[in-house]
């Protein structure tokens, strides 16, 4: 039997969007509106696509993402923030991140599989 997480408890929400990139993490910019998350901000979710001035953002469920930084997230619960380049990194003590459950880690490719 294979392990599969895709689609489990996923929730995708439509927001108004300012300058977003599919595959990057989103942050709130103003009421009902998201933008690409800047370095050090807690991600709202993963931008799946943009159509016109709206974006579909996955705010819950399993996602795969690149990570950056000197330290890899660990398997289990991690506090993560956006890295400003579309991926995630571990939150520093001065940053308020988002708690995410990391269930898959590839340190060679620098990717994680996680639950938002």
């Amino acid at each position: 039997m294979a392990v599969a997480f895709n689609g489990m408890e996923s929730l995708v929400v439509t927001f108004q969007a300012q300058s977003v990139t599919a595959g990057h993490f989103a942050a709130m910019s103003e009421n009902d509106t998201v933008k690409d998350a800047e370095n050090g901000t807690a991600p709202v979710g993963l931008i799946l696509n943009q159509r016109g001035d709206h974006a579909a953002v996955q705010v819950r469920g399993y996602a795969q993402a690149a990570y950056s930084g000197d330290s890899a997230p660990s398997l289990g619960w991690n506090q993560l923030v956006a890295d400003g380049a579309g991926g995630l990194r571990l939150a520093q003590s001065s940053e308020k991140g988002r708690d995410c459950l990391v269930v898959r880690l590839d340190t060679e490719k620098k990717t994680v599989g996680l639950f938002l």
Side-chain angles (χ1 to χ4, degrees):
M1 178 180 281
V3 174
F5 300 119
N6 291 341
M8 190 171 168
E9 294 285 324
S10 288
L11 177 61
V12 177
V13 178
T14 301
F15 287 96
Q16 291 181 357
Q18 295 177 342
S19 191
V20 297
T21 308
H24 286 203
F25 283 88
M28 296 304 300
S29 64
E30 56 187 73
N31 288 337
D32 307 326
T33 306
V34 293
K35 63 180 181 177
D36 282 346
E38 296 172 359
N39 186 31
T41 60
V44 171
L46 181 63
I47 301 163
L48 300 179
N49 63 51
Q50 180 178 7
R51 189 173 294 161
D53 59 353
H54 291 84
V57 180
Q58 181 183 351
V59 296
R60 189 174 67 208
Y62 180 77
Q64 294 184 49
Y67 71 86
S68 63
D70 296 332
S71 299
S74 58
L75 293 173
W77 290 100
N78 292 262
Q79 186 129 131
L80 301 173
V81 294
D83 66 5
L88 300 170
R89 64 172 175 79
L90 290 171
Q92 298 174 0
S93 60
S94 62
E95 297 171 322
K96 181 173 171 57
R98 178 175 177 164
D99 287 325
C100 296
L101 176 60
V102 175
V103 296
R104 188 171 289 150
L105 179 64
D106 186 332
T107 55
E108 285 184 25
K109 294 180 181 176
K110 292 192 86 165
T111 60
V112 292
L114 55 89
F115 284 94
L116 298 169

